[in-house]
Amino acid sequence: MQCTPHYIRCIKPNETKRAKDWEELRVKHQVEYLGLKENIRVRRAGFAYRRPFDKFLQRYAIVTKKTWPMWTGKPEKGIKVIMDAVAMEPGQWQLGVSKIFIKAPESLFLLEETRERKFDGYARAIQSAYRAYVRRRKMAEIREKATDILFNKKMRRRGSIRRCFVGDYIGFSQNEGLRALVGKREHIEFACCVNKYDRRFKVQKRDLLLSKQHIYLIGREVIKKGPQAGQLIEKVMRKIQIAEITSIDLSSRQDDFFVIRVRDAFPSVVETVFKTEFLTVLTEKFQETTGSSVNITFSDEITYIAKKSENKMKAWLGSMIGDERVISFVTGGQDFPELSVKGKTLTVAIGNGLPRDTRPGSIPQQEKRGSAAVQKPARTAPTYKYSKPEDQRSTMSRSNKSMERPSMPKAGAKKSAKSLNPMSQTDKSFMKVPSPNIAVKRKGPPPPPPAPKYPQVRAIYDYQAQDAEELTLTAGDVLNLHKKEDSGWWMGELKGRTGLFPYNYVEEL
């Protein structure tokens, strides 16, 4: 009969039989008298750690990918792979018949530390993947909400239908000057740079801040008097309570204009490329504050009073004598607005955008990050299981998925191309060879190409499009620049295709 003897030595910490009463001299005397130091010294001289093969593999297989998630070879070889992975000296461990022996505690601590780092790395990878999944799902929900606001009512601007919502586009959290202008307990949900139009339709740069209670329009002005004269400071030009907003007016075209109408006050005319995100956040905060939905109207001719007086009679007389302003939206030939002011009317000419019923669709996998799609394994998380060599069957075999490209349609392409070819329906008499007796009158040299209509830029880096509305650039490509956006994405034309591209990837010619 086999047994494993264990010896238990009791040490009395005190004579009072009370908790937390420790007599150090008495404890030292008992440790020396019982010979515990000599036992530990002898144990350290040999191999202090002893563990069966299967339990050691189960605990430390995660140290290297060669043994994780499953080791199918002999246990001795698996243990050697683990020891080589942590670079442990051969003299610090030995293999017995059924157990592994480790000499120094520091060697065991090395294994434990490596194991903890591996677990930490896998945990971070899982957390990162889950957070990315939650962000994508939340972003899809926000895009659907934004689409519902403008669906079948307004044309969508190219490049904005699948743009990610960031919220803070001006670094508000790091700007102490802007934070000092807002209430201490007010959390800013949205911040961006906008163009604000005054009574004479002159553009003024403003920082728009949106919280749960207010909309702030922050401007800059120069101090005229005092010791700080000549310095530029930030100032709240207008503060609007969200509960006092009566309506938001927009056009049905792809422009970025909107008018904020306020109860018993003059409206604000604002232009920003992030209007969809602003409307989404404003709708949510207006619902939380007032319990009702904000009134959003769509019209291609927006009429408003430029400045209202506190006296209702004066305000009525003001509208009669001509304080009324009109913004008219007409069809243009370009994707960016062309503004013209005539009297008290601002005309915005802009081309047609995406259809009003456009919804954000899925982006093809081959367009994401310029790389091929990665097939994720459709299986559950592995659990470690040690299998003996004689149990190896087909558990590790996997069927490789076909990597062949999909075949192109064979029928119908030539017929469609022939029907679309304009040369097939025109007179081909010009292709006849003239008689050799007839002198051929040669034409002069072709005229020089016309000068480019738009300013041009040259790509200095390669860029792979990440969205359907973006352009793929190759270093050296020359593009026609249509519009510069404050967001850092410019609109241009390359090889007959119009789209967006990052401004820091090009240089102006």
Side-chain angles (χ1 to χ4, degrees):
M1 183 176 179
Q2 296 181 355
C3 64
T4 304
H6 294 276
Y7 300 96
I8 301 175
R9 295 166 174 84
C10 298
I11 297 176
K12 295 178 64 176
N14 57 62
E15 292 291 341
T16 59
K17 298 182 180 180
R18 294 179 180 178
K20 300 180 180 180
D21 187 4
W22 181 269
E23 297 181 9
E24 187 175 355
L25 295 177
R26 177 177 293 275
V27 172
K28 284 184 178 180
H29 174 72
Q30 296 179 70
V31 169
E32 293 177 358
Y33 181 78
L34 295 174
L36 296 182
K37 287 185 177 181
E38 287 73 13
N39 289 342
I40 295 174
R41 193 175 295 111
V42 171
R43 188 78 172 184
R44 284 186 174 181
F47 294 89
Y49 179 83
R50 306 172 185 183
R51 196 77 166 175
F53 292 155
D54 55 347
K55 292 185 178 180
F56 184 87
L57 279 172
Q58 183 177 0
R59 182 169 182 83
Y60 298 109
I62 197 174
V63 168
T64 174
K65 293 182 179 180
K66 296 180 180 179
T67 56
W68 179 262
M70 181 182 295
W71 173 257
T72 57
K74 292 183 179 180
E76 295 86 348
K77 291 185 178 179
I79 294 174
K80 188 176 185 306
V81 170
I82 294 174
M83 294 304 184
D84 292 341
V86 298
M88 186 176 294
E89 297 179 3
Q92 291 294 322
W93 63 281
Q94 292 292 331
L95 293 177
V97 178
S98 61
K99 293 183 178 180
I100 178 176
F101 299 87
I102 297 178
K103 188 173 184 180
E106 292 78 11
S107 302
L108 183 61
F109 296 157
L110 174 63
L111 285 170
E112 288 292 333
E113 183 180 354
T114 307
R115 178 175 178 267
E116 290 297 328
R117 285 202 302 266
K118 289 291 183 179
F119 272 116
D120 183 73
Y122 284 124
R124 290 177 182 273
I126 294 172
Q127 290 176 354
S128 177
Y130 179 74
R131 291 193 184 109
Y133 164 73
V134 172
R135 284 196 300 268
R136 289 194 300 269
R137 186 175 63 180
K138 184 177 180 180
M139 189 59 60
E141 294 176 357
I142 294 175
R143 286 173 180 168
E144 286 298 327
K145 291 180 180 179
T147 304
D148 293 340
I149 296 174
L150 306 177
F151 188 71
N152 280 334
K153 299 175 182 178
K154 185 177 178 66
M155 297 181 185
R156 301 304 302 273
R157 187 169 55 84
R158 293 180 175 86
S160 67
I161 192 69
R162 285 195 289 267
R163 176 173 290 171
C164 295
F165 290 174
V166 177
D168 185 5
Y169 295 93
I170 59 176
F172 173 80
S173 57
Q174 289 81 28
N175 194 323
E176 297 182 359
L178 289 178
R179 284 186 293 161
L181 301 176
V182 182
K184 294 182 178 179
R185 298 185 179 181
E186 252 186 303
H187 178 66
I188 298 301
E189 303 286 347
F190 176 80
C192 74
C193 183
V194 302
N195 292 332
K196 189 261 183 185
Y197 290 82
D198 61 6
R199 299 174 58 189
R200 297 175 178 84
F201 300 116
K202 292 184 178 180
V203 179
Q204 299 172 347
K205 290 292 183 180
R206 295 286 186 267
D207 290 337
L208 187 146
L209 309 179
L210 173 60
S211 68
K212 187 176 180 180
Q213 297 85 13
H214 301 95
I215 296 176
Y216 295 89
L217 290 175
I218 310 296
R220 277 81 180 168
E221 67 176 10
V222 179
I223 301 177
K224 298 181 180 179
K225 298 180 180 180
Q228 298 180 350
Q231 294 185 6
L232 192 66
I233 61 171
E234 296 169 334
K235 181 181 178 181
V236 178
M237 297 300 182
R238 190 173 187 189
K239 182 178 179 181
I240 303 173
Q241 291 188 3
I242 289 183
E244 297 297 324
I245 296 177
T246 57
S247 67
I248 305 293
D249 297 347
L250 299 94
S251 74
S252 62
R253 304 188 179 275
Q254 64 163 335
D255 60 280
D256 299 322
F257 286 81
F258 60 89
V259 179
I260 305 175
R261 296 185 184 269
V262 186
R263 185 181 293 108
D264 298 331
F266 62 93
S268 293
V269 181
V270 181
E271 180 189 17
T272 175
V273 295
F274 306 112
K275 64 180 182 307
T276 305
E277 183 175 355
F278 169 77
L279 291 175
T280 305
V281 180
L282 177 63
T283 302
E284 180 182 352
K285 298 308 171 185
F286 191 89
Q287 180 72 29
E288 294 177 0
T289 304
T290 63
S292 59
S293 300
V294 62
N295 182 24
I296 301 178
T297 61
F298 298 86
S299 176
D300 286 344
E301 187 168 317
I302 301 176
T303 304
Y304 63 94
I305 305 301
K307 189 172 183 179
K308 283 191 175 182
S309 174
E310 297 181 358
N311 190 320
K312 295 184 178 180
M313 180 59 69
K314 290 183 178 181
W316 180 79
L317 290 175
S319 62
M320 296 295 292
I321 62 177
D323 281 341
E324 194 176 74
R325 299 292 187 271
V326 179
I327 304 178
S328 179
F329 299 88
V330 297
T331 303
Q334 299 173 352
D335 288 337
F336 59 91
E338 295 179 350
L339 309 181
S340 61
V341 180
K342 186 176 181 181
K344 299 181 180 180
T345 301
L346 172 64
T347 302
V348 181
I350 190 169
N352 294 329
L354 298 176
R356 294 181 176 87
D357 57 352
T358 303
R359 284 190 176 274
S362 59
I363 304 174
Q365 290 286 346
Q366 59 269 21
E367 293 184 7
K368 289 187 178 182
R369 303 295 179 189
S371 60
V374 180
Q375 295 289 343
K376 296 184 179 180
R379 60 182 179 87
T380 57
T383 56
Y384 184 84
K385 182 179 179 182
Y386 169 71
S387 59
K388 296 182 180 180
E390 58 268 15
D391 293 337
Q392 299 178 18
R393 296 181 179 89
S394 60
T395 58
M396 298 299 292
S397 63
R398 293 188 178 93
S399 59
N400 296 326
K401 296 184 178 180
S402 175
M403 299 299 291
E404 298 180 359
R405 295 183 179 179
S407 59
M408 299 296 292
K410 298 180 181 179
K414 294 183 178 179
K415 184 178 181 181
S416 301
K418 186 177 180 181
S419 63
L420 294 176
N421 186 7
M423 299 299 296
S424 61
Q425 302 177 2
T426 58
D427 185 12
K428 299 182 180 179
S429 59
F430 67 93
M431 299 180 63
K432 296 181 180 180
V433 180
S435 174
N437 298 327
I438 300 176
V440 179
K441 184 179 181 180
R442 300 183 179 274
K443 296 183 178 180
K453 185 178 179 181
Y454 302 104
Q456 293 185 327
V457 295
R458 180 189 294 111
I460 56 178
Y461 305 107
D462 294 341
Y463 176 73
Q464 182 66 33
Q466 303 175 15
D467 205 340
E469 287 79 17
E470 297 179 5
L471 296 176
T472 298
L473 304 181
T474 304
D477 288 345
V478 178
L479 300 84
N480 292 332
L481 178 61
H482 287 185
K483 185 180 180 182
K484 295 182 180 180
E485 299 282 0
D486 295 336
S487 60
W489 291 89
W490 290 359
M491 180 173 290
E493 181 182 357
L494 176 63
K495 298 178 182 179
R497 185 171 178 268
T498 303
L500 299 173
F501 58 89
Y503 78 99
N504 52 351
Y505 277 65
V506 299
E507 61 178 358
E508 298 187 28
L509 298 180

